[in-house]
Amino acid sequence: MPQKKSKTTASSQKVISDNTFVLIEYTAREKETGKVFDTTSEEVAKKEKIYDEHDVYGHKLVIIGEGWFLKGFEDRLKNLKENEEKEFEIPPEEAFGPRDPSKIEHISLKKFVREGIDPKPGMQVRIGNRVGTVLRVGAGRVTVDFNHPLAGKTLSYSVKVVKIIDNDVEKVKHLVKRRISDLELDKINITFNKSELDIMLPDDVLYQRDVEIAKRGIARDIFKYFPQIKVIRFIEEIKKEEPQAEEEGKKEANEEAKAKNTEAKKEA
């Protein structure tokens, strides 16, 4: 009796290769110390005390070969499948290079004083176009290390492949979200029409700072990854506020005014 072949889903056949759009989750540590220096997990960031309220946590978009991440990191993602998890290490020569002793410099304390900086060991400082870490503060001079903080370190990654994206509409949505990070995917409407593309954004995007810069970046990305697109239209949707909502707003404003008047009378 012939053996039945096991069924495999289409998604299980997706494998990461060059130019693949992929969503990943990861946590990165210094191998020697175990210290976390980057993560997509808000919970891990808070636990490791590296949480940044201005950062957006959750899966990240990677386009393999684009150099958004270390080349050694992108190379190790290749051949992974959807939902696959992997741990790997990246040596210094494939990460931020070896430490260079010539990049450790002694700088006059007066220079910091003139710029209103009170240097402390461990503080990151900008001197000209360079950023360095203060190692020591002595009598009259400060020792600053201009090596990258991760130079000479082996990096350890734990990665999960959340999704490999092969749908053009999804790809565009994630390119938009990459530039406007707090925008929800289901609020972005994409319409392809041969060589033209319409992107409809919700009205709250209108009030975001630097949204015009973001739109120019989105357009550059789309023209690059979708060479068939010649025209992009950004359509911003503004919905009229419902009468009921308007009435509720007026009611709340009246109640606030009454409360203020009452307080004023009490004080009088």
Side-chain angles (χ1 to χ4, degrees):
M1 187 174 176
Q3 239 181 354
K4 288 185 179 179
K5 292 183 179 180
S6 60
K7 292 183 180 180
T8 55
T9 62
S11 64
S12 66
Q13 299 303 307
K14 295 179 184 178
V15 176
I16 298 174
S17 59
D18 284 330
N19 304 314
T20 299
F21 281 60
V22 56
L23 300 179
I24 60 170
E25 295 174 352
Y26 64 86
T27 294
R29 302 174 183 272
E30 298 176 16
K31 179 187 176 183
E32 293 79 4
T33 63
K35 181 182 178 182
V36 173
F37 63 86
D38 192 14
T39 183
T40 58
S41 168
E42 182 175 338
E43 182 182 352
V44 172
K46 288 179 176 178
K47 181 181 177 183
E48 299 290 333
K49 295 181 173 53
I50 61 167
Y51 176 74
D52 183 351
E53 62 180 5
H54 301 295
D55 203 352
V56 178
Y57 294 90
H59 48 247
K60 301 284 186 186
L61 174 66
V62 184
I63 302 178
I64 303 301
E66 282 305 302
W68 295 352
F69 290 76
L70 291 170
K71 184 179 184 300
F73 178 81
E74 292 187 5
D75 286 344
R76 284 162 175 77
L77 294 180
K78 292 178 183 179
N79 299 317
L80 297 184
K81 299 176 182 178
E82 273 193 346
N83 298 315
E84 189 171 351
E85 297 183 33
K86 188 174 182 180
E87 294 186 357
F88 53 78
E89 295 177 358
I90 302 178
E93 56 269 23
E94 292 184 64
F96 295 96
R99 285 181 61 76
D100 181 353
S102 69
K103 291 183 178 180
I104 299 175
E105 301 179 14
H106 303 293
I107 300 171
S108 170
L109 181 59
K110 290 180 181 179
K111 184 175 182 63
F112 291 90
V113 173
R114 283 197 300 268
E115 297 187 18
I117 301 173
D118 181 17
K120 306 283 184 187
M123 177 189 292
Q124 281 203 324
V125 292
R126 179 176 292 277
I127 306 294
N129 295 322
R130 298 182 299 166
V131 176
T133 303
V134 175
L135 298 182
R136 291 179 296 278
V137 179
R141 66 179 188 173
V142 179
T143 304
V144 181
D145 185 357
F146 288 103
N147 282 284
H148 189 283
L150 294 172
K153 298 181 184 297
T154 297
L155 312 182
S156 175
Y157 284 86
S158 299
V159 178
K160 179 180 179 180
V161 179
V162 177
K163 187 174 186 179
I164 295 175
I165 306 171
D166 52 14
N167 177 281
D168 285 348
V169 170
E170 275 194 82
K171 287 180 179 180
V172 172
K173 283 189 174 187
H174 281 285
L175 288 175
V176 173
K177 184 173 175 62
R178 178 172 176 260
R179 300 284 183 173
I180 309 176
S181 57
D182 57 349
L183 186 56
E184 295 177 23
L185 290 174
D186 59 3
K187 290 186 177 181
I188 309 169
N189 291 314
I190 307 296
T191 304
F192 279 91
N193 183 14
K194 295 182 181 178
S195 64
E196 299 181 353
L197 177 67
D198 289 345
I199 303 174
M200 182 176 283
L201 302 173
D203 63 346
D204 54 354
V205 170
L206 293 171
Y207 308 107
Q208 291 193 15
R209 186 179 178 185
D210 298 332
V211 67
E212 294 304 319
I213 295 173
K215 286 194 287 188
R216 286 197 290 272
I218 292 166
R220 282 196 303 271
D221 291 343
I222 292 170
F223 288 139
K224 179 176 182 179
Y225 301 117
F226 296 88
Q228 77 276 18
I229 298 298
K230 306 302 179 187
V231 176
I232 299 171
R233 282 182 291 268
F234 287 94
I235 303 169
E236 289 151 345
E237 184 179 61
I238 302 176
K239 292 183 178 179
K240 183 179 179 181
E241 194 172 334
E242 293 298 326
Q244 184 180 353
E246 290 179 3
E247 289 302 319
E248 287 178 357
K250 289 178 182 177
K251 185 179 178 181
E252 287 178 4
N254 288 334
E255 287 177 355
E256 286 180 9
K258 286 179 182 178
K260 287 180 180 178
N261 287 333
T262 302
E263 288 296 321
K265 287 177 180 178
K266 286 180 179 178
E267 289 177 3

